[in-house]
Amino acid sequence: MNGAQSLIRTLVRSGVDVCFANPGTSEMHFVAALDSVPEMRGVLGLFEGAVTGAADGYARIAGKPAATLLHLGPGLGNGLANLHNARRAHTPVVNVVGDHATHHKKYDAPLESDIDAVAGSVSGWVRRGDQVADVGSVAAAAVAASMDPPGQVATLILAADASWDEGGQVAEPLPPRTPAAPDPQAVASVADVLRGGEPVALLIGGQACREPGLLAASRIANATGARALVETFPARLERGAGLPALDRLRYLAEQAAQQLDGVKHLIVAGTRSPVSFFAYPGKPSDLVPDGAQMHTLADPSQDVVAALEALAEEVAPDTLPTLAEPSRPVLPSGPLTANNWAEVIGALLPDGAIVSDEANTSGVALPAATAGAPRHDVLTLTGGAIGQGIPVATGAAIAAPDRPVVNLEADGSAMYTISALWTQARENLDVTTVILNNSAYAVLRVEMLRVGADLSGPAAKTLLDLSSPGLDFARIAEGMGVPSSRATTCEELAEQFRRALAEPGPHLIDAVVPPHL
Amino acid sequence: MNGAQSLIRTLVRSGVDVCFANPGTSEMHFVAALDSVPEMRGVLGLFEGAVTGAADGYARIAGKPAATLLHLGPGLGNGLANLHNARRAHTPVVNVVGDHATHHKKYDAPLESDIDAVAGSVSGWVRRGDQVADVGSVAAAAVAASMDPPGQVATLILAADASWDEGGQVAEPLPPRTPAAPDPQAVASVADVLRGGEPVALLIGGQACREPGLLAASRIANATGARALVETFPARLERGAGLPALDRLRYLAEQAAQQLDGVKHLIVAGTRSPVSFFAYPGKPSDLVPDGAQMHTLADPSQDVVAALEALAEEVAPDTLPTLAEPSRPVLPSGPLTANNWAEVIGALLPDGAIVSDEANTSGVALPAATAGAPRHDVLTLTGGAIGQGIPVATGAAIAAPDRPVVNLEADGSAMYTISALWTQARENLDVTTVILNNSAYAVLRVEMLRVGADLSGPAAKTLLDLSSPGLDFARIAEGMGVPSSRATTCEELAEQFRRALAEPGPHLIDAVVPPHL
């Protein structure tokens, strides 16, 4: 058995059986080894950002890591932005980066670069597999490391000779570390705060954004009057009829400040103290209101759901949560606007959908329009590195082949990793992509005003404009084998969205919408 | 004047007047400042790999750097692969990466990451502009550093507050360092080797790949019997009728070994000792033949052309160079093959063309087919990070608006940075892209055999196959506003290539060719 075979066998034994890959020469033995381990499914991406984003989306839904396969430093570089998003999502990823053979590195061949330095910027764990006999054990350690609570990118740098040499050894899975139990003192102290009668906000994140955590948070809020909020960009948020519909803390610091206005205590559970996404001249970066006290119920590496449930038991033993009633918007009609497209989605979102949400500025009306829709998961842009939505949808569809995946995607963001559509076609994934095509980097028009920069000059305007030439996403997607259409009215969007959901395989709808600004 | 304005004014004063940009919120004051300094041309890319590759292509032709504008660590990551290629090309690039405001960094906001570590992997020079008063001087230093012989990526990390604060100061250009003069002892010693009567190869690179260096190398070869060779992947190689047609050292180590077979002395000038691109089991990485002696006439930071001319004066004072005669292939007919498409290009390549060559395996027949074509420049894949060709063509066209740019592009490579086509349409650049569409990662089929991996299994085969679904590049390009067509015969390719050259603005031809393997 060579090193590559021992690697793949170890991954499979550790439960990792999907590998999103964009390989090169140094990874050829890994590719060949896929045929000797049929339990491992190799999924090809045409660009590494598609690969790493898919691994992120996969793990958010599967609850376990996928492997990646990247080619040397430049391949890692191409995958870095979506590994950054995975890092912020606390997604477990076994990030395999092929390297030159150990004896080849000193020659500084053209593709040589400092993989370790680049990997360190996104990984909680980096190790090299340089000796064939160690590859299996390093792989088992990588899987375990990726699952270390709350989850992280674990990068395994695999030397080509360790891959091709004979003498590979399959390693047994390492026992995963479980999240630290809640701290009873923290629970008691937060319970005291909640009973103290002062205005309190409870901000939850991470694993608490799924049903058990949401139920506990809603009960706590109902019993104590605390405002329960979800972190701004949750990795996976369960929503819809029958679940508590907690507001997310807003992206715009001005709006987040309103949500937290008057709060004397801010309790965080499974997330960090909230900060402004960007700095703005003269504005505070820290979103904790002046004079408010911070309390940590559970940090992201702790069992936040158990902590919330213990707290609910303490302060809300007999209180019920508030659950969203089934409710859908009426299907709107007429030309698409910046907001009514979301009502079309809300009216038609299928039961059990996974929503990869990178709608950005176009998505303002989405939460309200889908709050009473059938239950669904929302996967958001955790790290702010745009170009995540299409790959994450791709990975989510691999993880849940029986669930419809809906990708709501801003036009500017779509172009970073557009080739992930090809992987959707190749794997016949049931993903419906709706491009919100407003022909602009609309978020930057908003941000330019917020940072106090002058938007009025032609050079600045031009750099935020995507209308010259306009992007025809239906053509682009058809060029990659994805059946596509264009919608300019609510009726067209509804008809095309229904049809896309009814047919198997991927579809794309290029929805022409006006920008908010 | 704010910091951003002082930055742009300093760049312009230092001769940098093109900025390839994909900005975000932290770069908004830079964008706004473009309107106060109209001498700076902002060119938008939809993805950072398009931006950095364009900056590389621009400088290879302009002989001076462009600036980039990238958004934080993830933006730098997206641009990293083509910065890697620029590093290997010794291309001067002023790589501006926006960062959070200095007071915001400690909050570890979602987009925070270790920009310095990632930048260090591709940059010869990294500095921060954290104080508004320093931004101008740091910018002047960045331009000078980028031009340090032989040229490098100089990364300026620009804090958002240093950009928006008032108090910017325009800095004077720093005097550029000139390449070190040739070492007379090295010239004399190499001359002795050449006169010694033993088999010699002369491998030239860098600046020597333009007319004066080529002429000197040809004279030396003619006078001494040395084999003159050009490095495998020159940043910019001047070719065509009236110039010496020196062979390039081959990519495949087996073929390179043949070119160097029997050599007792290997003289390098403007390049390094040749090494195998990848490692292969049981094969040497060092391409210097056993027992041969290495001699360095000039390293890449020295004035290699002066060194070659001094050497020619010494050993070939009265010898003329051999110049390629004007000669073009006869236009072939019938279905496109893996080789005959290159004859179509050779038959029709216009005078003064710039060829961005990322044809990879499909390009085997290209050098012979174009050796006697009118004079042209060839820009090659210096660092091996695929996805360079379309962006490099884009930047080259900005640098030389009066020259036709021809981009010969492998299908797999094209998909990494396909959105650069949109920038070509937006800027109405005269670029003709010919996609060599063989529906495969054909190079990896070759490499799999060379590394001794088993290609026969279905999983391995599938991961190198791009035919399911096939990529329709004409549709993809039309979706980005580039007029496109598809060619399956030589006649179609010739007709479409002629038409594309005759019309202004960008065009794409999707040339369907069989793979070599």
Side-chain angles (χ1 to χ4, degrees), chain A residues 397-448:
Chain A
I398 297 270
D402 51 342
R403 295 179 63 182
V405 177
V406 174
N407 174 203
L408 306 172
E409 186 66 28
D411 51 355
S413 300
M415 289 304 292
Y416 289 74
T417 48
I418 190 79
S419 72
L421 291 172
W422 181 83
T423 300
Q424 293 179 10
R426 179 179 174 92
E427 302 286 338
N428 197 33
L429 304 178
D430 189 17
V431 180
T432 300
T433 302
V434 180
I435 302 285
L436 290 320
N437 190 344
N438 61 22
S439 296
Y441 284 129
V443 65
L444 296 184
R445 294 188 183 163
V446 178
E447 293 289 10
M448 220 156 169

Coordinates of all heavy atoms in Angstrom, one line a residue, chain A residues 397-448:
Chain A
A397 N -25.4 20.1 -1.3 CA -26.2 19.2 -2.1 C -25.6 17.8 -2.1 O -26.3 16.8 -2.2 CB -26.3 19.7 -3.5
I398 N -24.2 17.8 -2.0 CA -23.6 16.5 -2.0 C -23.9 15.8 -0.6 O -24.1 14.6 -0.5 CB -22.0 16.6 -2.1 CG1 -21.7 17.2 -3.5 CG2 -21.3 15.3 -1.8 CD1 -21.4 16.2 -4.6
A399 N -23.9 16.6 0.4 CA -24.2 16.1 1.8 C -25.6 15.6 1.9 O -25.9 14.7 2.7 CB -23.9 17.2 2.8
A400 N -26.6 16.3 1.3 CA -28.0 16.0 1.5 C -28.7 15.8 0.1 O -29.4 16.7 -0.3 CB -28.7 17.1 2.3
P401 N -28.4 14.7 -0.6 CA -28.9 14.5 -1.9 C -30.5 14.5 -2.0 O -31.0 14.7 -3.0 CB -28.3 13.2 -2.4 CG -27.9 12.5 -1.1 CD -27.6 13.6 -0.1
D402 N -31.1 14.3 -0.8 CA -32.6 14.2 -0.8 C -33.2 15.5 -0.5 O -34.4 15.6 -0.4 CB -33.0 13.1 0.1 CG -32.4 13.3 1.5 OD1 -31.3 14.1 1.6 OD2 -32.9 12.8 2.5
R403 N -32.4 16.6 -0.3 CA -33.0 17.9 0.1 C -32.8 18.9 -1.1 O -31.8 18.9 -1.7 CB -32.4 18.4 1.4 CG -32.7 17.5 2.6 CD -32.0 18.1 3.8 NE -32.5 19.4 4.2 CZ -32.1 20.2 5.2 NH1 -31.1 19.7 6.0 NH2 -32.6 21.3 5.5
P404 N -33.8 19.7 -1.3 CA -33.6 20.8 -2.3 C -32.7 21.9 -1.8 O -32.8 22.3 -0.6 CB -35.0 21.3 -2.5 CG -35.8 21.0 -1.3 CD -35.2 19.7 -0.7
V405 N -31.7 22.3 -2.6 CA -30.8 23.3 -2.2 C -31.2 24.6 -3.1 O -31.3 24.5 -4.3 CB -29.4 22.9 -2.4 CG1 -28.4 24.1 -2.1 CG2 -29.0 21.7 -1.6
V406 N -31.3 25.7 -2.4 CA -31.6 27.0 -3.0 C -30.5 27.9 -2.7 O -30.1 28.2 -1.6 CB -33.0 27.5 -2.6 CG1 -33.2 28.9 -3.1 CG2 -34.1 26.6 -2.9
N407 N -29.9 28.4 -3.8 CA -28.7 29.4 -3.6 C -29.2 30.8 -4.1 O -29.4 31.0 -5.3 CB -27.5 28.8 -4.4 CG -26.3 29.8 -4.5 OD1 -25.5 29.7 -5.4 ND2 -26.2 30.7 -3.5
L408 N -29.2 31.7 -3.1 CA -29.6 33.1 -3.4 C -28.3 33.9 -3.5 O -27.6 34.0 -2.5 CB -30.6 33.6 -2.4 CG -31.8 32.7 -2.2 CD1 -32.6 33.1 -1.0 CD2 -32.6 32.6 -3.5
E409 N -28.0 34.4 -4.7 CA -26.6 34.7 -5.0 C -26.5 36.1 -5.6 O -27.1 36.4 -6.7 CB -26.0 33.7 -5.9 CG -24.6 33.8 -6.2 CD -23.7 33.6 -5.0 OE1 -24.1 32.8 -4.1 OE2 -22.6 34.2 -5.0
A410 N -25.8 37.0 -5.0 CA -25.6 38.3 -5.5 C -24.7 38.2 -6.8 O -23.8 37.4 -6.9 CB -24.9 39.2 -4.5
D411 N -24.9 39.1 -7.8 CA -24.2 39.0 -9.0 C -22.7 39.2 -8.9 O -21.9 38.4 -9.4 CB -24.8 39.9 -10.1 CG -24.9 41.4 -9.6 OD1 -24.6 41.7 -8.4 OD2 -25.2 42.2 -10.5
G412 N -22.3 40.2 -8.1 CA -20.9 40.4 -8.0 C -20.2 39.2 -7.3 O -19.1 38.7 -7.7
S413 N -20.8 38.7 -6.3 CA -20.2 37.6 -5.5 C -20.2 36.3 -6.4 O -19.2 35.5 -6.3 CB -21.1 37.3 -4.3 OG -21.1 38.4 -3.4
A414 N -21.2 36.1 -7.3 CA -21.2 34.9 -8.1 C -20.0 34.7 -8.9 O -19.6 33.6 -9.2 CB -22.5 35.0 -8.9
M415 N -19.4 35.8 -9.4 CA -18.4 35.7 -10.4 C -17.0 35.2 -9.8 O -16.2 34.9 -10.6 CB -18.2 37.1 -11.1 CG -19.3 37.4 -12.1 SD -19.7 36.1 -13.3 CE -18.2 36.2 -14.3
Y416 N -16.9 35.2 -8.5 CA -15.6 34.8 -8.0 C -15.4 33.2 -8.1 O -14.3 32.8 -8.3 CB -15.5 35.1 -6.5 CG -15.4 36.6 -6.2 CD1 -16.4 37.5 -6.4 CD2 -14.1 37.1 -5.8 CE1 -16.2 38.9 -6.2 CE2 -14.0 38.5 -5.6 CZ -15.0 39.3 -5.8 OH -14.8 40.7 -5.7
T417 N -16.5 32.5 -8.0 CA -16.4 31.1 -8.0 C -17.5 30.4 -8.9 O -18.0 29.4 -8.6 CB -16.6 30.5 -6.6 OG1 -17.7 31.2 -6.0 CG2 -15.4 30.8 -5.7
I418 N -17.7 31.1 -10.0 CA -18.8 30.7 -10.9 C -18.7 29.3 -11.4 O -19.6 28.6 -11.7 CB -18.9 31.8 -12.1 CG1 -20.2 31.6 -12.9 CG2 -17.7 31.7 -13.0 CD1 -21.4 32.2 -12.2
S419 N -17.4 28.8 -11.5 CA -17.2 27.5 -12.1 C -17.8 26.4 -11.2 O -17.9 25.2 -11.7 CB -15.7 27.2 -12.4 OG -15.0 27.0 -11.2
A420 N -18.2 26.7 -10.0 CA -18.8 25.6 -9.2 C -20.1 25.2 -9.8 O -20.5 24.0 -9.5 CB -19.0 26.1 -7.8
L421 N -20.7 26.0 -10.7 CA -21.9 25.5 -11.4 C -21.6 24.3 -12.2 O -22.5 23.4 -12.4 CB -22.4 26.6 -12.3 CG -23.0 27.9 -11.6 CD1 -23.3 29.0 -12.7 CD2 -24.3 27.5 -10.9
W422 N -20.4 24.2 -12.8 CA -20.1 23.0 -13.6 C -20.1 21.8 -12.7 O -20.5 20.7 -13.2 CB -18.7 23.2 -14.2 CG -18.2 22.1 -15.1 CD1 -18.6 21.9 -16.4 CD2 -17.3 21.0 -14.7 NE1 -17.9 20.7 -16.9 CE2 -17.2 20.2 -15.9 CE3 -16.7 20.7 -13.5 CZ2 -16.4 19.1 -15.8 CZ3 -15.9 19.6 -13.5 CH2 -15.7 18.8 -14.7
T423 N -19.6 21.9 -11.5 CA -19.6 20.7 -10.6 C -21.0 20.3 -10.3 O -21.3 19.1 -10.2 CB -18.8 21.0 -9.3 OG1 -17.5 21.3 -9.7 CG2 -18.8 19.8 -8.4
Q424 N -21.9 21.3 -10.2 CA -23.3 21.0 -10.0 C -23.9 20.2 -11.2 O -24.6 19.2 -11.0 CB -24.1 22.2 -9.8 CG -23.8 23.0 -8.5 CD -24.6 24.3 -8.3 OE1 -25.5 24.5 -9.0 NE2 -24.2 25.1 -7.3
A425 N -23.5 20.6 -12.4 CA -24.0 19.9 -13.6 C -23.4 18.5 -13.6 O -24.1 17.5 -13.9 CB -23.7 20.7 -14.8
R426 N -22.1 18.4 -13.4 CA -21.4 17.1 -13.5 C -22.0 16.1 -12.5 O -22.1 14.9 -12.8 CB -19.9 17.4 -13.2 CG -19.0 16.2 -13.2 CD -17.6 16.7 -12.9 NE -16.6 15.7 -12.7 CZ -15.8 15.3 -13.7 NH1 -16.0 15.7 -14.9 NH2 -14.9 14.4 -13.4
E427 N -22.3 16.6 -11.3 CA -22.8 15.7 -10.3 C -24.3 15.6 -10.2 O -24.9 14.9 -9.4 CB -22.2 16.1 -8.9 CG -20.7 16.1 -8.8 CD -20.1 14.7 -8.7 OE1 -20.7 13.8 -8.3 OE2 -18.9 14.6 -9.1
N428 N -24.9 16.3 -11.2 CA -26.4 16.4 -11.2 C -27.0 16.7 -9.9 O -28.0 16.0 -9.4 CB -26.9 15.0 -11.8 CG -28.4 15.2 -12.3 OD1 -28.7 16.2 -12.8 ND2 -29.2 14.1 -12.1
L429 N -26.6 17.8 -9.3 CA -27.0 18.2 -8.0 C -28.3 19.0 -8.1 O -28.4 19.8 -9.0 CB -25.9 19.0 -7.3 CG -24.6 18.2 -7.1 CD1 -23.6 19.2 -6.4 CD2 -24.7 16.9 -6.4
D430 N -29.2 18.8 -7.1 CA -30.5 19.5 -7.1 C -30.3 20.8 -6.5 O -30.8 21.1 -5.4 CB -31.5 18.6 -6.4 CG -32.9 19.2 -6.6 OD1 -33.1 20.0 -7.5 OD2 -33.8 18.8 -5.8
V431 N -29.7 21.7 -7.2 CA -29.4 23.1 -6.7 C -30.2 24.1 -7.6 O -30.0 24.0 -8.8 CB -27.9 23.5 -6.6 CG1 -27.8 24.9 -6.1 CG2 -27.2 22.5 -5.8
T432 N -30.9 24.9 -7.0 CA -31.5 26.0 -7.8 C -30.9 27.3 -7.4 O -31.0 27.8 -6.3 CB -33.1 26.1 -7.5 OG1 -33.7 24.9 -7.9 CG2 -33.7 27.3 -8.3
T433 N -30.1 27.9 -8.4 CA -29.4 29.1 -8.1 C -30.3 30.3 -8.6 O -30.7 30.3 -9.8 CB -28.0 29.1 -8.8 OG1 -27.3 28.0 -8.3 CG2 -27.3 30.4 -8.5
V434 N -30.5 31.3 -7.8 CA -31.2 32.5 -8.2 C -30.2 33.6 -8.1 O -29.7 34.0 -7.0 CB -32.4 32.8 -7.4 CG1 -33.1 34.1 -7.9 CG2 -33.4 31.6 -7.4
I435 N -29.7 34.1 -9.2 CA -28.8 35.3 -9.2 C -29.6 36.5 -9.0 O -30.6 36.8 -9.8 CB -28.0 35.3 -10.5 CG1 -27.2 34.0 -10.8 CG2 -27.1 36.6 -10.5 CD1 -26.0 33.8 -9.9
L436 N -29.2 37.3 -8.0 CA -29.9 38.7 -7.9 C -29.0 39.6 -8.7 O -27.9 40.1 -8.2 CB -30.0 39.0 -6.4 CG -31.0 38.2 -5.6 CD1 -32.3 38.0 -6.4 CD2 -30.5 37.0 -5.0
N437 N -29.4 39.9 -9.9 CA -28.5 40.6 -10.8 C -28.9 42.1 -10.9 O -29.8 42.5 -11.6 CB -28.7 39.9 -12.2 CG -27.7 40.4 -13.2 OD1 -27.0 41.5 -13.0 ND2 -27.5 39.7 -14.3
N438 N -28.2 42.8 -10.1 CA -28.5 44.3 -10.0 C -27.4 45.1 -10.7 O -27.4 46.3 -10.6 CB -28.8 44.8 -8.6 CG -27.6 44.6 -7.7 OD1 -26.5 44.4 -8.1 ND2 -27.9 44.6 -6.4
S439 N -26.5 44.4 -11.4 CA -25.5 45.1 -12.2 C -24.6 46.0 -11.4 O -24.2 47.1 -11.9 CB -26.1 45.8 -13.4 OG -26.7 44.9 -14.2
A440 N -24.3 45.7 -10.2 CA -23.5 46.6 -9.3 C -22.9 45.8 -8.2 O -23.4 44.8 -7.7 CB -24.4 47.7 -8.8
Y441 N -21.8 46.4 -7.7 CA -21.3 46.0 -6.4 C -22.1 46.9 -5.4 O -21.6 47.9 -4.8 CB -19.8 46.3 -6.2 CG -18.9 45.2 -6.9 CD1 -17.9 45.6 -7.7 CD2 -19.1 43.9 -6.6 CE1 -17.1 44.6 -8.3 CE2 -18.3 42.9 -7.2 CZ -17.3 43.3 -8.0 OH -16.5 42.4 -8.6
A442 N -23.4 46.6 -5.2 CA -24.3 47.5 -4.5 C -23.9 47.7 -3.1 O -24.0 48.7 -2.5 CB -25.7 46.9 -4.6
V443 N -23.3 46.6 -2.5 CA -22.9 46.7 -1.1 C -21.8 47.8 -0.9 O -21.8 48.5 0.1 CB -22.4 45.4 -0.5 CG1 -21.1 44.9 -1.2 CG2 -22.2 45.4 1.0
L444 N -21.0 48.0 -2.0 CA -20.0 49.0 -1.9 C -20.5 50.4 -2.0 O -19.9 51.4 -1.5 CB -18.9 48.7 -2.9 CG -18.1 47.4 -2.6 CD1 -17.0 47.2 -3.6 CD2 -17.6 47.3 -1.2
R445 N -21.6 50.5 -2.7 CA -22.3 51.8 -2.8 C -22.7 52.2 -1.4 O -22.6 53.4 -1.0 CB -23.4 51.8 -3.8 CG -23.0 51.6 -5.2 CD -24.2 51.8 -6.1 NE -23.8 51.5 -7.5 CZ -24.6 51.2 -8.5 NH1 -25.9 51.3 -8.3 NH2 -24.1 51.0 -9.7
V446 N -23.3 51.3 -0.7 CA -23.7 51.5 0.7 C -22.5 51.8 1.6 O -22.5 52.8 2.3 CB -24.4 50.3 1.3 CG1 -24.8 50.5 2.7 CG2 -25.6 49.9 0.4
E447 N -21.5 51.0 1.4 CA -20.3 51.2 2.3 C -19.5 52.5 2.0 O -19.0 53.1 2.9 CB -19.3 50.0 2.1 CG -19.9 48.6 2.6 CD -20.0 48.5 4.1 OE1 -19.8 49.6 4.8 OE2 -20.3 47.4 4.6
M448 N -19.6 52.9 0.8 CA -18.8 54.1 0.4 C -19.5 55.3 1.2 O -18.7 56.2 1.7 CB -18.9 54.4 -1.1 CG -17.6 54.9 -1.6 SD -17.4 54.5 -3.3 CE -16.0 55.5 -3.6

